[in-house]
Amino acid sequence: MLASYYTVKTSETNEIVINKSRFIAHVKRVTNEAEAQEFIQSIKKEHWNATHNCSAYIIGEKDEIQKANDDGEPSGTAGVPMLEVLKKRHLKDTCVVVTRYFGGIKLGAGGLIRAYGSAVTEGINAAGVVERTLMKVMAIRVDYTWLGKVENELRQSSYIMKNIEYEDNVSLFAYVPVESVQPFHDWITNITNGQGQIEEQEETYLERELPL
């Protein structure tokens, strides 16, 4: 599993008009190629009367799956420019479909490349981009006499507090980046003078929205 990567925040549809042609970008996060193809087919079904429904997607930890489809536009003027936007934004597990309703004015190869690229860029901006960081949930169990100090230190640190459970002893849970697990162990041991019990629990991704 990747320590961190970028993908779109949510599914979104965004439209731009260039020389009377409508370019409607549909953006979706996907986890496999079957989901991407299902999404593409759903857009084609919804916009069956459109001039073109061009598509591109990148899937996999190492971008193993990369596909682009011009759907009848001149070769290399739609799908590839769309895919290049995804790559330039370093997005993973993302599928985009751009629906075009021809407005009567031909754009030429250069114009089409710019139009499809712009449509995807605006669609991604509308959907938003997040950084997903792989976190390890860490449990710190201490005597109640340590609660105030440990909680205060955690809240002032870069680590993210998850929750606190109050039983015979108190357990504080925090999200820690996977590459920081050992430094976290050392840090807690230091601030509790070795009195804290530290347990590694499940791994999960947390998302942070990025500014445009």
Side-chain angles (χ1 to χ4, degrees), residues 1 15 26 28 35 42 47 49 55 84 87 93 96 100 107 116 130 144 151 153 161 170 193 202-203 212:
M1 298 173 74
E15 179 175 336
H26 315 269
K28 182 179 176 65
E35 281 186 18
S42 71
H47 294 276
N49 58 336
S55 58
E84 286 302 312
K87 292 163 70 173
D93 296 347
V96 290
R100 182 189 183 190
L107 302 181
Y116 279 100
V130 294
Y144 276 88
E151 182 179 0
E153 292 281 356
M161 178 76 80
V170 61
N193 293 332
E202 74 274 11
E203 290 183 351
L212 296 178

Side-chain angles (χ1 to χ4, degrees), residues 70 73-82 109 112-113:
D70 294 313
E73 291 282 30
S75 179
T77 63
V80 170
M82 292 165 61
L112 287 172
I113 290 170

Side-chain angles (χ1 to χ4, degrees), residues 8 10-16 22-30 36 39-40 42-48 50 52-57 82 86 94-101 116 119-124 126-127:
V8 289
T10 185
S11 299
E12 190 60 77
T13 298
N14 186 78
E15 179 175 336
I16 61 175
R22 297 170 59 204
F23 292 85
I24 308 169
H26 315 269
V27 182
K28 182 179 176 65
R29 187 191 301 184
V30 293
F39 177 60
I40 293 166
S42 71
I43 299 301
K44 286 187 172 184
K45 183 177 181 180
E46 179 183 355
H47 294 276
W48 60 271
H52 306 280
N53 285 292
C54 306
S55 58
Y57 52 84
M82 292 165 61
L86 299 183
T94 302
C95 180
V96 290
V97 182
V98 175
T99 299
R100 182 189 183 190
Y101 287 92
Y116 279 100
V120 173
T121 296
E122 293 300 322
I124 291 169

Side-chain angles (χ1 to χ4, degrees), residues 154-167:
L154 273 173
R155 294 194 185 280
Q156 292 187 30
S157 74
S158 60
Y159 303 114
I160 301 170
M161 178 76 80
K162 181 174 182 280
N163 65 296
I164 302 175
E165 293 181 0
Y166 303 92
E167 297 176 339

Side-chain angles (χ1 to χ4, degrees), residues 7 12-13 24 66 91 107 114 144 149 159 167 181 190 192 200:
T7 189
E12 190 60 77
T13 298
I24 308 169
Q66 300 185 26
L91 297 177
L107 302 181
R114 288 189 294 273
Y144 276 88
K149 179 177 176 59
Y159 303 114
E167 297 176 339
V181 167
N190 181 60
T192 64
E200 297 180 19

Side-chain angles (χ1 to χ4, degrees), residues 130-135 160 175-176 204-208:
V130 294
E131 180 181 20
R132 303 192 81 217
T133 302
L134 186 60
M135 297 287 193
I160 301 170
Y175 293 107
V176 177
T204 186
Y205 278 104
L206 290 190
E207 297 184 0
R208 176 178 67 90

